[in-house]
Amino acid sequence: MASIKELAAKWLELDKNEKTRTEIQSLLNTGNTQELEKRLRNRIEFGTAGLRARMEAGFSRMNDLTVIQASQGLASYICEQSSDPSIVIGHDHRHNSSQFARLTAGAMIDKGIKVYFYEGLVHTPLVPFAINMLGATAGVMITASHNPAQDNGYKVYWSNGCQIVPPHDRNITHHIEQNLTPLSWDMDRVLNKDTDLLDKVKDAYFKSLRSIAAVRECDEEKYLKFVYTPMHGVGLAAMKRAVADMRLEDNMVIVSEQAQPDPEFPTVRFPNPEEKGALDLAIATAGKHDISLVLASDPDADRFTAAERLPSGDWKVFTGNQLGILFAAQTLAAYRQAANGTNKVERLAMLASAVSTQMLKSMATVEGFHYEETLTGFKWLGNQAIVLQSQGYDALYAFEEAIGYMFTPVVYDKDGIAAASVFITMAQEWVKEGFTVREKLDQLYKKYGYFESANSYLISPDPALTKKIFAEIRSMGNPRPTKVGSRKITWWRDLTEGFDSAAVDGRPVLPVDASSQMITCELEGGVRFTVRGSGTEPKIKLYIECKAETQEMARHGAQEISEALTKEWFRPAETGLLLP
């Protein structure tokens, strides 16, 4: 194993960026071995969202060198897979995003790959949309989504417009390891001759939005007014155009303090619409204008959330699961109305990830459409939707509880602008019918059952600790635990060890991954939960849901199991896990 001084010397040999060279040299000069180990010992790897890390010097971080190395490896793999390779490259507004995108383009050009390069800022869905429209081999979006300001990322899409899944990630990693010496640091090699073509791509994207979202005419006073915030990100330009296409530009009030792209995200603690307080400015703006709806996208505009003012004056911020079900109800209604009602509902397919609400499954059982569950992440949802399309289904919608919503045929990935457009459309329809978004949700609960969640997480300082704790959980019974709290376990699925108690052969349908930790159980009394190690954060995540006859019973059941799991399985006082 190389010494830390040898690793530092290798970094200084390869890196041509004076800023990051100075960072490593300063750590060497001060003898900060601990920090050098964090930065240099392990290489940044392709994970759930491609590459994502803090922007600073080191092989484990996002910087010019690691971006060039990743791009050279990806370029090598693309050339191996295609005789006429091409790639779409876009970027958001974060620090270094434009620079990283240009370095990526240079590495592709070095390999003779055709580059379609978005010159300005774009929201993430425009990359996968362009891949499908232009028939490109792959795509890269430089973004860290809703991560903190000091982070950036490198999201990779394949030729089907979906995020990469195995074995592409492993194969790309192998090619990176074979192409670590930078061939070029030139950021000015991109001479974009395709500006007109990419403008046509954008036009086609917004045309596709109009196919899933169009507000029908009504009395002027009944048109909805709403507040929108792009959360200091890149969503405003796309949102303005989508709203203009619906002829509602006069009905949108923008949160001025968060309107323009700002890589420092100055008005929010974390630029994530899910975070507590993230919508405070938007809600305050709504109050000033006497508006009852707030819409928000995350900084790269692939996620979406919404809030509604209740008659009491309080604001209801919808959860990702609640929005997911509302969109599903709209998708079903639109499908039934299409082609004068001749569509057969059994041909409709909708998907959700394993950690999302089971209410979609309940809806499918009642209504007769096809439902499928996938692993966490839109790389799985998007790819499985394409599989279902090939089998004759109309796979029109998928969602994940982390405020991600996919509408085909726009893109096979989450899309915050598409979600906002559909939300406006359905909210407008419902107000014409005489009820609010919250009232529509209550209707769905009454029809399909009340579902309440108690999601949480524990901080795990070390991956080895996470692995140890899950091993201890599996050994709590013979051969596995039989109860959680007072409720018996009726179904056990372990996607780490590859066991499903409901399967005839004991093998799960979903992919097994021995390198990650994920257990899903169903309990007596309508409870289901998934516990898993996060792929991008030092966390163990708990997703707990209860279905019951009343909202209060469902809420109580979910909270009961949340407390029991923490006390019986994870035991933070004993194991070293930390409460948030």
Side-chain angles (χ1 to χ4, degrees), residues 232-422:
H232 296 295
V234 300
L236 182 57
M239 187 66 173
K240 279 184 172 180
R241 182 160 177 182
V243 169
D245 284 347
M246 290 188 278
R247 299 179 181 178
L248 291 177
E249 56 264 55
D250 293 336
N251 293 50
M252 179 170 70
V253 174
I254 299 158
V255 180
S256 58
E257 299 94 331
Q258 298 174 337
Q260 298 307 313
D262 189 331
E264 290 297 321
F265 308 104
T267 68
V268 288
R269 187 161 167 257
F270 294 105
N272 182 351
E274 286 186 293
E275 290 288 336
K276 187 175 181 180
L279 297 182
D280 285 355
L281 269 176
I283 288 172
T285 302
K288 291 176 185 176
H289 294 269
D290 193 26
I291 292 174
S292 296
L293 278 179
V294 161
L295 282 58
S297 53
D298 70 341
D300 69 325
D302 65 351
R303 286 181 168 87
F304 167 82
T305 198
E308 183 178 59
R309 187 173 60 198
L310 305 178
S312 65
D314 295 331
W315 280 84
K316 164 66 179 174
V317 179
F318 296 101
T319 68
N321 281 330
Q322 289 168 341
L323 287 172
I325 290 302
L326 288 164
F327 284 131
Q330 172 67 8
T331 300
L332 177 62
Y335 191 75
R336 282 178 164 153
Q337 291 169 3
N340 297 317
T342 59
N343 282 334
K344 295 182 178 179
V345 171
E346 58 268 25
R347 285 183 54 202
L348 172 64
M350 293 195 257
L351 305 90
S353 67
V355 300
S356 301
T357 181
Q358 289 292 290
M359 192 170 174
L360 184 62
K361 183 178 181 180
S362 178
M363 182 187 289
T365 301
V366 173
E367 304 293 351
F369 62 83
H370 182 77
Y371 163 80
E372 282 209 14
E373 176 181 291
T374 74
L375 291 180
T376 308
F378 275 85
K379 64 181 182 181
W380 301 108
L381 290 165
N383 277 281
Q384 186 58 26
I386 290 174
V387 170
L388 290 173
Q389 294 277 27
S390 71
Q391 295 172 353
Y393 288 102
D394 295 323
L396 300 183
Y397 172 67
F399 82 94
E400 190 159 70
E401 58 82 34
I403 60 171
Y405 312 99
M406 179 186 88
F407 300 90
T408 67
V410 182
V411 290
Y412 288 91
D413 195 22
K414 57 188 178 294
D415 186 341
I417 302 303
S421 302
V422 175

Side-chain angles (χ1 to χ4, degrees), residues 71-72 74-76 78-79 82 84-91 98-119 127 130-131 134-142 154 186-198 201:
S71 299
Q72 289 181 168
L74 176 59
S76 175
I78 288 171
C79 290
S82 173
D84 185 22
S86 60
I87 189 167
V88 177
I89 299 173
H91 65 84
S98 175
Q99 182 170 316
F100 291 164
R102 291 181 179 280
L103 289 171
T104 301
M108 300 298 158
I109 292 168
D110 283 336
K111 287 284 188 178
I113 296 171
K114 167 69 176 174
V115 174
Y116 299 104
F117 189 84
Y118 283 113
E119 285 287 354
V127 170
I131 292 170
L134 302 175
T137 313
V140 169
M141 177 68 187
I142 304 296
Y154 187 103
D186 189 352
M187 287 184 287
D188 299 320
R189 300 194 64 192
V190 181
L191 297 175
N192 199 348
K193 300 175 183 177
D194 300 301
T195 302
D196 291 344
L197 179 60
L198 290 172
V201 169

